[in-house]
Amino acid sequence: NKSFKIPSATMTSETTTDAAAAIPDDVPSCWLCLEEGPDEGGAPLVRDCSCRGSSGFAHLSCIVKYAESAGKRLYEREGPSACMDPFNICPNCKQYYQNDVHKALAKACVDFVEEWFKDEKNFLPHKHLYAHALMTQLVKLDGENDGEKAGGEEIIAKFFSVMEEVKSQLEQLEILDRGRFLIIRDAFINLEANGNANIGHFYMSMNSKEGQLKAKEHYEKARDLFKTMRPKEAEISVSEMNQIISELESELSGNVVHDEELDVIYLQRDYHKCLERYGGQSSCITIHTGVALSRALIITEYRTIEAEILLSKLVDVSLRTHGHDHRASKDAMSGLTLARERKVVVRFEDVSGWFQALRYENEGEDCVVQGPIADPRNVDEEEQYSFESTRIIPFPGTPVVCHGLQKAAHLNGKIGDVRGLDVKEKEDGNKYFDVDIDRCVVHFEDKSLAPVKVKPTNLRVLFDLPKADDAY
């Protein structure tokens, strides 16, 4: 039996990621007014899209003027539905604005719609556009921020005022043109249902009981509205609202029940909807949704191989499309770092706990690990050790490969995720450290193979996944 501690001076940096962004050599200028430095009001140049190098910088005031002008042209050429795009999408890189820039432009879009359509020649299309703009602004706000909370309440009041005006107009339209009424009514029901769901999300962001109660009320309104829509279009939305409402009721009553499997199902649905809506994986919205799905696969279902394959693709696409310094790229790289952590259990004399396996040495006889891992994790306080590989027990969520099996030799070389541990707890012992861990439950990537229980000594941690295609 052997183990030894590795001096900190020789520790590798396998658990860190370099996220430094390149600084453009050229002095940036506003691509709209061509001026360098702040605008007349003292506001600096901004860029929060996917432009790189010295391109894409602009004054926010210039972007707003451009978006208003472009929005008017799009309205005259394509109608109301297209005139919001310049407030959402950078015309240079064709990607969505992010963070504070997107938040400011969402507000500017509401102001633009209010001013441009105040004559209300096309009442119902204008109101639909206005309500949609209000909800786009609302979803960018944080209910925990007092200022944004007040702004959100004002937006919500405007939204419902618009809905009341629309209902009054629809009553008149039903008398004049029943067919047109039915088409327009369905569009506004969908808008009001999704609006209530967004309002529910806003109130949930307050992280308070008051917010939860208000959120529940609006989720229920959204669910009831979805029920009136065509079944195929609304069935999933009704199910999602019911799940959120059920979890809220449980939390409010103090009896928290959370179905993590449904989280994965909903995220899979959302991810595939993003792929269809935004034309592939390059959209930052699709990337963020894919990262959320991957994290759920890792944390709730221990499907790390599947998650790592998806995250590797998302990182590659995001770096090519958005660059290293974009929030979508950072989100994807952070997710991939999580997916590539190989957690193991080690029990050896005075050293035991959860560790991150780093690599094998001496032809697989020894395994270098880093830890113990505290909660929350503090990498700076961890040490590296080398243990005999036979003392390493892969933790659920760790990719492994089978080896040395005699009675099931056909499984040797097969890869999969550890999804559970077959343990016998000692009296008053810790579930993982004061136990006899007899087997690891392995689910194979080859779906034709049934899950099996394998002794830890017949498993090796899989650090590098083979290249493979997957459903994503």
Side-chain angles (χ1 to χ4, degrees):
N1 293 337
K2 65 169 185 172
S3 74
F4 62 89
K5 181 177 176 180
I6 300 174
S8 58
T10 63
M11 288 176 63
T12 64
S13 58
E14 294 173 50
T15 59
T16 63
T17 302
D18 179 15
I23 299 173
D25 295 328
D26 300 330
V27 177
S29 60
C30 176
W31 69 270
L32 289 159
C33 72
L34 305 182
E35 294 292 331
E36 300 174 3
D39 63 12
E40 293 179 356
L45 292 168
V46 296
R47 181 182 69 181
D48 211 340
C49 53
S50 297
C51 290
R52 283 177 268 181
S54 59
S55 66
F57 286 94
H59 302 111
L60 184 60
S61 57
C62 291
I63 300 175
V64 171
K65 290 176 184 176
Y66 162 80
E68 290 175 345
S69 177
K72 291 174 184 178
R73 292 196 302 271
L74 284 168
Y75 174 78
E76 292 167 355
R77 188 169 68 242
E78 301 179 28
S81 61
C83 69
M84 285 177 57
D85 286 351
F87 292 91
N88 295 319
I89 300 171
C90 171
N92 299 308
C93 65
K94 312 301 182 187
Q95 299 297 328
Y96 280 82
Y97 292 111
Q98 301 288 305
N99 307 316
D100 289 342
V101 171
H102 197 184
K103 187 182 294 186
L105 290 174
K107 182 182 184 305
C109 183
V110 171
D111 295 339
F112 163 71
V113 174
E114 285 178 341
E115 177 64 25
W116 179 245
F117 294 98
K118 61 183 178 183
D119 58 355
E120 299 182 358
K121 292 178 181 178
N122 297 307
F123 182 87
L124 289 173
H126 160 244
K127 291 300 180 185
H128 191 283
L129 177 66
Y130 183 41
H132 183 56
L134 287 168
M135 288 300 98
T136 300
Q137 183 183 3
L138 181 69
V139 298
K140 297 297 175 184
L141 301 183
D142 179 4
E144 278 195 294
N145 180 296
D146 289 339
E148 294 191 4
K149 177 182 176 182
E153 297 279 9
E154 183 179 343
I155 291 170
I156 292 167
K158 288 182 179 180
F159 177 80
F160 285 117
S161 176
V162 171
M163 290 295 105
E164 288 303 314
E165 292 179 60
V166 167
K167 289 172 185 176
S168 175
Q169 288 291 312
L170 285 174
E171 289 175 2
Q172 299 177 34
L173 182 62
E174 185 177 13
I175 298 171
L176 298 173
D177 189 339
R178 175 72 178 173
R180 184 164 175 261
F181 159 77
L182 291 174
I183 295 172
I184 295 176
R185 182 201 62 179
D186 287 349
F188 275 99
I189 288 175
N190 183 47
L191 177 64
E192 187 175 4
N194 282 288
N196 272 283
N198 286 332
I199 292 167
H201 297 334
F202 170 74
Y203 281 126
M204 283 294 290
S205 73
M206 292 181 182
N207 287 324
S208 67
K209 186 172 183 179
E210 175 192 3
Q212 289 176 323
L213 289 168
K214 289 184 177 180
K216 180 174 175 290
E217 176 186 344
H218 288 285
Y219 286 135
E220 288 171 342
K221 287 181 179 179
R223 176 197 60 194
D224 295 341
L225 287 164
F226 281 128
K227 284 181 178 179
T228 67
M229 295 168 60
R230 293 172 184 149
K232 288 185 179 179
E233 296 175 2
E235 185 177 344
I236 295 176
S237 297
V238 171
S239 175
E240 185 174 0
M241 290 299 104
N242 279 330
Q243 174 65 17
I244 293 173
I245 292 165
S246 175
E247 292 182 1
L248 263 175
E249 289 174 341
S250 298
E251 193 165 341
L252 287 166
S253 67
N255 181 26
V256 178
V257 177
H258 185 77
D259 192 336
E260 294 177 334
E261 289 185 5
L262 280 177
D263 286 344
V264 173
I265 292 171
Y266 289 140
L267 285 167
Q268 285 175 324
R269 181 206 66 180
D270 291 345
Y271 178 68
H272 288 289
K273 283 173 65 177
C274 286
L275 287 175
E276 294 175 5
R277 180 175 179 181
Y278 301 109
Q281 292 179 320
S282 62
S283 163
C284 55
I285 297 175
T286 305
I287 292 168
H288 288 307
T289 305
V291 172
L293 168 59
S294 299
R295 288 180 180 274
L297 289 171
I298 296 168
I299 295 169
T300 67
E301 298 195 354
Y302 302 129
R303 292 158 61 181
T304 303
I305 294 176
E306 184 178 347
E308 185 175 337
I309 291 172
L310 173 57
L311 285 163
S312 295
K313 292 181 178 181
L314 292 175
V315 167
D316 182 57
V317 169
S318 190
L319 289 176
R320 283 189 282 108
T321 306
H322 306 290
H324 196 283
D325 203 37
H326 194 278
R327 187 165 64 95
S329 299
K330 291 180 178 180
D331 191 24
M333 288 188 290
S334 174
L336 185 58
T337 297
L338 171 67
R340 287 178 172 169
E341 290 181 356
R342 304 302 191 231
K343 299 290 180 61
V344 296
V345 177
V346 175
R347 296 175 298 169
F348 185 84
E349 297 176 357
D350 60 338
V351 179
S352 64
W354 285 284
F355 289 77
Q356 179 178 344
L358 301 179
R359 63 186 179 276
Y360 284 112
E361 293 181 340
N362 300 326
E363 298 183 346
E365 292 296 320
D366 302 316
C367 184
V368 177
V369 301
Q370 181 168 314
I373 297 173
D375 186 17
R377 186 172 186 180
N378 186 346
V379 176
D380 293 335
E381 294 183 356
E382 296 174 0
E383 302 287 351
Q384 287 188 9
Y385 300 84
S386 179
F387 291 99
E388 290 180 343
S389 297
T390 55
R391 292 193 170 275
I392 302 298
I393 301 172
F395 193 72
T398 298
V400 294
V401 58
C402 294
H403 78 106
L405 293 168
Q406 299 296 321
K407 294 182 179 180
H410 66 289
L411 296 178
N412 290 327
K414 299 296 183 181
I415 68 173
D417 297 306
V418 173
R419 302 276 180 91
L421 300 176
D422 199 11
V423 302
K424 296 178 182 178
E425 296 186 40
K426 295 180 181 178
E427 190 174 350
D428 298 326
N430 181 288
K431 182 177 180 181
Y432 294 113
F433 307 133
D434 296 325
V435 295
D436 293 322
I437 300 178
D438 187 46
R439 298 284 195 279
C440 295
V441 182
V442 179
H443 288 238
F444 293 102
E445 280 302 284
D446 183 345
K447 303 307 178 187
S448 67
L449 298 173
V452 296
K453 295 180 179 179
V454 183
K455 290 183 178 180
T457 52
N458 290 117
L459 295 174
R460 285 285 184 268
V461 175
L462 186 65
F463 292 105
D464 298 310
L465 300 185
K467 292 183 179 180
D469 293 328
D470 72 306
Y472 299 109

